[in-house]
Amino acid sequence: WVGALAAGTYLFSGAVERRENPNSEVRTSTTSGVSEVRLASNRGGHYVATGSINGREVKLMLDTGATTVAVSAELAEQLDLTRGMEIELSTANGMSRGYLTTLREVRLGEIVLRDVQATIAPGMDGEEVLLGMSFLKDLELIQRGREMTLRQIR
């Protein structure tokens, strides 16, 4: 019984994670110099995917309403990011203070951008990352139904 319970718990936790992040394994297709990533939305309608910042795996949530990529203070510390100029942030939860920084590399599948402007947002939780327009502006975005395609022309 203990083995069956452990196996059930393991399978259930994987199912919950797949519902939250249906793009944990991002696949890229490349044709004629164009890299393309297709993402499925999660149950809440958000586009969440596993990517990396400066070589460290992170969970990214696409946010076209965010001016920059936003990382929590906790993740910024783990990534050893330099806090730049202090700025005022307007968030869904009101005004707060944050810091500008630059990410050496942001990767989503084979889409890679370097020297991406970001914000360290102390009010964010844990290791969450909002993939804002400082990353998305260099891509072509196409949304159809519950799927978003991101294209990077190299």
Side-chain angles (χ1 to χ4, degrees):
W1 286 105
V2 172
L5 182 60
T9 301
Y10 175 77
L11 292 173
F12 179 73
S13 67
V16 169
E17 172 61 21
R18 281 188 300 280
R19 281 197 300 217
E20 173 63 26
N21 179 3
N23 307 294
S24 59
E25 293 181 27
V26 177
R27 290 182 174 69
T28 307
S29 62
T30 304
T31 308
S32 301
V34 177
S35 294
E36 183 176 282
V37 168
R38 289 195 176 148
L39 302 176
S41 64
N42 66 14
R43 291 184 65 193
H46 300 284
Y47 293 96
V48 176
T50 301
S52 69
I53 294 178
N54 297 350
R56 184 178 188 281
E57 187 175 288
V58 293
K59 187 168 27 173
L60 306 166
M61 183 168 79
L62 276 68
D63 186 352
T64 58
T67 304
T68 66
V69 173
V71 300
S72 68
E74 178 183 333
L75 181 59
E77 187 174 315
Q78 292 172 13
L79 292 170
D80 197 28
L81 299 178
T82 302
R83 288 184 176 201
M85 183 174 75
E86 185 175 19
I87 59 171
E88 194 166 304
L89 303 172
S90 176
T91 70
N93 295 326
M95 301 304 286
S96 66
R97 307 223 37 89
Y99 304 90
L100 291 178
T101 193
T102 301
L103 306 174
R104 187 179 68 252
E105 178 185 276
V106 180
R107 177 181 294 267
L108 179 59
E110 293 305 315
I111 294 175
V112 180
L113 294 175
R114 290 181 173 67
D115 299 322
V116 177
Q117 185 180 24
T119 303
I120 300 170
M124 289 177 63
D125 291 331
E127 295 186 14
E128 64 183 67
V129 175
L130 298 179
L131 197 57
M133 293 307 294
S134 61
F135 179 86
L136 298 173
K137 69 180 173 56
D138 292 321
L139 306 175
E140 179 181 273
L141 308 177
I142 301 168
Q143 181 177 3
R144 287 195 183 104
R146 296 183 58 89
E147 182 178 271
M148 182 171 291
T149 303
L150 293 85
R151 290 187 182 138
Q152 179 184 29
I153 300 171
R154 298 183 184 234

